[in-house]
């Protein structure tokens, strides 16, 4: 989908409403690896085609070891692409009270952040009684739950995973917090030409499909479609 065809609902917004990264807010850089051969009095630099270190520029901590054709994707670059695409694709009322969750391990060698949009949540009317869902008792017993939307980035700096973006819609479907949901994923290899902006069209498409997925979950809750039909429709959305 060409961005020229996307309506910018939020051109009048003075500033972003997305919380800033904290734990994932660092940059990474390649550096040489040295080794000391037996009998030598000076270290020898390992050719980067064999291996090189990836380290944090703020703390100097090592994040991983990669080959010479490994491309670094900065967390903040991915965040900028995600924020810019969603500010263009989502209506401004969805961009209120956005929540951010972050997790890192190995000094940041594994990084993940998730933006959740509680103001975009839509009600799903669940039909239920002691024996399960029954559409013919819709007027007697029902329970509203909420379909929520989130976007996540998963990144690593050690060559173990690709750069991953995930879009998830989740329905909290009963009082014991059992959830059902649907997740779509886009991945990018850490090549020397890695470019997070290539995610833009995918992000825009996922944001635009949210309303369609609400309709699918409502039909599923009413049992007007089968679980297999719901799955097929969500995959096609």
């Amino acid at each position: 989908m060409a961005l020229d065809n996307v309506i910018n609902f939020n051109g009048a917004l003075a500033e972003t409403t997305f919380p800033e990264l904290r734990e994932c807010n660092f940059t990474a850089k390649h550096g040489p690896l040295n080794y000391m051969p037996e009998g030598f009095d000076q270290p020898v630099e390992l050719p980067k085609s064999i291996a090189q270190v990836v380290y944090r520029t703020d703390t100097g901590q090592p994040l991983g070891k990669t080959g010479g054709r490994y491309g670094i994707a900065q967390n903040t670059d991915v965040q900028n692409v995600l924020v810019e695409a969603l500010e263009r694709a989502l209506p401004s009322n969805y961009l209120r009270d956005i929540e951010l969750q972050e997790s890192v391990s190995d000094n940041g060698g594994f990084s993940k952040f998730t933006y959740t949009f509680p103001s975009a949540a839509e009600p799903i009317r669940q039909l239920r009684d002691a024996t399960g869902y029954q559409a013919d008792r819709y007027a007697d017993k029902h329970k509203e739950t909420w379909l929520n939307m989130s976007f996540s980035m998963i990144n690593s700096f050690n060559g173990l995973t690709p750069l991953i973006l995930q879009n998830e819609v989740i329905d909290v479907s009963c009082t014991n917090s059992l959830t059902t949901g649907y997740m779509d994923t886009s991945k990018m290899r850490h090549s020397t030409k890695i470019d997070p902006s290539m995610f833009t069209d995918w992000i825009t498409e996922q944001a635009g499909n949210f309303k369609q997925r609400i309709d699918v979950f409502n039909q599923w809750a009413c049992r007007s479609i089968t679980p297999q039909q719901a799955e097929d429709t969500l995959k096609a959305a």
Side-chain angles (χ1 to χ4, degrees):
M1 178 186 298
L3 288 181
D4 291 342
N5 295 327
V6 178
I7 298 175
N8 185 354
F9 293 96
N10 308 299
L13 290 181
E15 60 184 38
T16 180
T17 55
F18 285 79
E20 292 295 329
L21 298 180
R22 300 183 66 178
E23 296 178 57
C24 296
N25 187 15
F26 61 86
T27 57
K29 188 175 181 178
H30 277 124
L33 284 173
N34 298 325
Y35 67 101
M36 182 72 77
E38 186 175 352
F40 282 56
D41 58 3
Q42 294 291 331
V44 176
E45 183 176 316
L46 196 67
K48 73 174 187 177
S49 58
I50 297 177
Q52 55 187 335
V53 68
V54 180
Y55 66 93
R56 289 179 61 142
T57 59
D58 56 347
T59 64
Q61 294 172 302
L63 301 176
K65 175 177 65 69
T66 70
R69 302 177 69 180
Y70 182 88
I72 295 174
Q74 307 291 356
N75 294 336
T76 50
D77 288 346
V78 182
Q79 181 210 24
N80 288 337
V81 170
L82 182 61
V83 168
E84 289 175 8
L86 291 177
E87 284 184 334
R88 287 174 59 90
L90 294 176
S92 58
N93 60 300
Y94 280 16
L95 301 178
R96 299 171 186 154
D97 305 317
I98 299 172
E99 298 173 354
L100 171 65
Q101 289 186 319
E102 299 178 76
S103 61
V104 297
S105 60
D106 298 328
N107 303 322
F110 173 87
S111 300
K112 179 179 180 180
F113 67 79
T114 300
Y115 283 119
T116 303
F117 301 83
S119 294
E122 294 278 355
I124 305 295
R125 176 158 287 193
Q126 307 286 353
L127 312 179
R128 66 181 65 207
D129 64 9
T131 61
Y133 300 94
Q134 291 189 3
D136 59 349
R137 300 189 63 178
Y138 181 85
D140 298 325
K141 292 189 177 182
H142 70 269
K143 180 179 179 63
E144 283 192 348
T145 59
W146 293 83
L147 192 65
N148 209 345
M149 174 177 63
S150 67
F151 281 86
S152 299
M153 179 215 73
I154 299 172
N155 195 14
S156 67
F157 299 88
N158 53 17
L160 296 181
T161 68
L163 175 61
I164 301 171
L165 283 190
Q166 295 175 336
N167 170 229
E168 187 171 16
V169 290
I170 303 175
D171 175 22
V172 181
S173 60
C174 61
T175 55
N176 66 1
S177 296
L178 176 67
T179 63
T180 59
Y182 176 79
M183 179 184 293
D184 203 354
T185 300
S186 184
K187 300 178 181 180
M188 189 178 296
R189 293 180 59 245
H190 282 275
S191 68
T192 54
K193 296 183 178 180
I194 190 168
D195 180 5
S197 69
M198 298 295 290
F199 283 125
T200 298
D201 287 352
W202 180 86
I203 297 167
T204 303
E205 181 180 18
Q206 295 299 309
N209 286 342
F210 181 58
K211 294 293 289 185
Q212 181 178 353
R213 287 169 178 160
I214 293 170
D215 294 338
V216 172
F217 271 78
N218 269 315
Q219 293 177 62
W220 192 0
C222 293
R223 283 298 191 262
S224 61
I225 60 174
T226 67
Q228 184 60 52
Q229 288 174 323
E231 181 178 354
D232 293 342
T233 305
L234 287 168
K235 287 179 178 180

